Amino acid sequence: MPRDTLTADQIVRATIALLDEEGLDGLNMRSLGARLGSAATAIYWHIKTKDELVRLAGDAIWAEVELPDLDTTDWRTAATAMAIGTHAMLTRHPWLGQAFGSHLLYGPGKARFDEHSLALYEKAGFAPADADRAAATVLLFVLGSALGPAAQVSLTRRLSKNGKDAEQQLADTMARAAEIAKPYPRLRARLDTPAAADYSAAPDNTFAFGLQAILDGIRARLADGPHGDRT
């Protein structure tokens, strides 16, 4: 693709695709240029640094989270839908969780999401200070729940380097971990479950269980009385 036909949006979309396939470690201007059919130097006419590329890509994918209509949806249904949509987005793009710890991420996509989340909890009945806390609590739970699948993708990619068999390495590791677990009765009783055979797996329905438990707690606080600034 010639330099004069490149746009910043095309570069960001190609960056997202490259990050999905190769992770943060696989992002470089030469690989991105090859994906775009352009010289790496042409990218710099639009986006100056790799950190800026990650920031723009990381912000763009927040637009994938569908925001429910708060005028037609009750707060709990809306909160559940946003949490599920965010978890799915983070699972599709496992590099974003890693980027939180290595890049400064901000932009209109995340701002749009945050604004809607705060509006949701204010409409539920919280004053602004507690709406902040409710929104942050749910988001932190979603981010934490997505770490397992994201870690699995990154780890498998790293273990597969130099032609190694990542699945066999993981299976060997889980077998050794199972031997270590056998003296502990509660762990031993769970060795035959699917989660025990998967390096990053959680028990079935863990995300749904945790999300609903958190929303139960938020609903209970709403029923308690005034919802101002608690310390």
Side-chain angles (χ1 to χ4, degrees), residues 23-101:
L24 285 177
D25 293 340
L27 177 62
N28 60 72
M29 293 302 193
R30 180 176 296 179
S31 296
L32 183 59
R35 182 177 289 268
L36 288 162
S38 175
T41 53
I43 298 169
Y44 289 111
W45 282 78
H46 300 273
I47 299 171
K48 301 303 182 184
T49 67
K50 190 167 78 168
D51 284 350
E52 182 70 357
L53 271 176
V54 174
R55 185 188 73 78
L56 291 169
D59 189 62
I61 58 179
W62 283 97
E64 297 177 12
V65 181
E66 185 175 351
L67 304 183
D69 185 347
L70 301 184
D71 292 328
T72 60
T73 310
D74 68 273
W75 77 265
R76 182 160 181 155
T77 300
T80 299
M82 284 187 69
I84 291 172
T86 304
H87 189 269
M89 181 272 287
L90 290 165
T91 302
R92 285 193 299 272
H93 307 292
W95 51 270
L96 182 60
Q98 183 184 359
F100 280 128

Side-chain angles (χ1 to χ4, degrees), residues 64-219:
E64 297 177 12
V65 181
E66 185 175 351
L67 304 183
D69 185 347
L70 301 184
D71 292 328
T72 60
T73 310
D74 68 273
W75 77 265
R76 182 160 181 155
T77 300
T80 299
M82 284 187 69
I84 291 172
T86 304
H87 189 269
M89 181 272 287
L90 290 165
T91 302
R92 285 193 299 272
H93 307 292
W95 51 270
L96 182 60
Q98 183 184 359
F100 280 128
S102 57
H103 291 75
L104 295 171
L105 302 178
Y106 61 93
K110 181 61 162 53
R112 164 185 169 271
F113 174 92
D114 289 341
E115 172 72 13
H116 205 78
S117 184
L118 293 172
L120 186 163
Y121 291 105
E122 287 186 5
K123 185 173 182 180
F126 283 122
D130 275 351
D132 291 353
R133 296 181 179 107
T137 296
V138 174
L139 181 58
L140 287 172
F141 169 74
V142 174
L143 290 171
S145 297
L147 283 178
Q152 181 80 8
V153 171
S154 298
L155 182 60
T156 300
R157 183 182 292 125
R158 188 176 74 81
L159 293 176
S160 298
K161 287 184 177 179
N162 301 318
K164 295 180 180 178
D165 187 334
E167 291 187 6
Q168 187 59 54
Q169 291 181 76
L170 289 170
D172 292 344
T173 297
M174 294 308 297
R176 291 193 294 270
E179 289 299 316
I180 293 171
K182 284 181 179 178
Y184 302 94
R186 291 173 182 81
L187 297 180
R188 185 172 62 248
R190 290 162 171 79
L191 287 177
D192 292 331
T193 64
D198 190 330
Y199 183 80
S200 64
D204 289 345
N205 301 315
T206 294
F207 175 69
F209 177 91
L211 176 60
Q212 296 312 311
I214 289 172
L215 295 180
D216 285 346
I218 291 174
R219 182 173 59 187

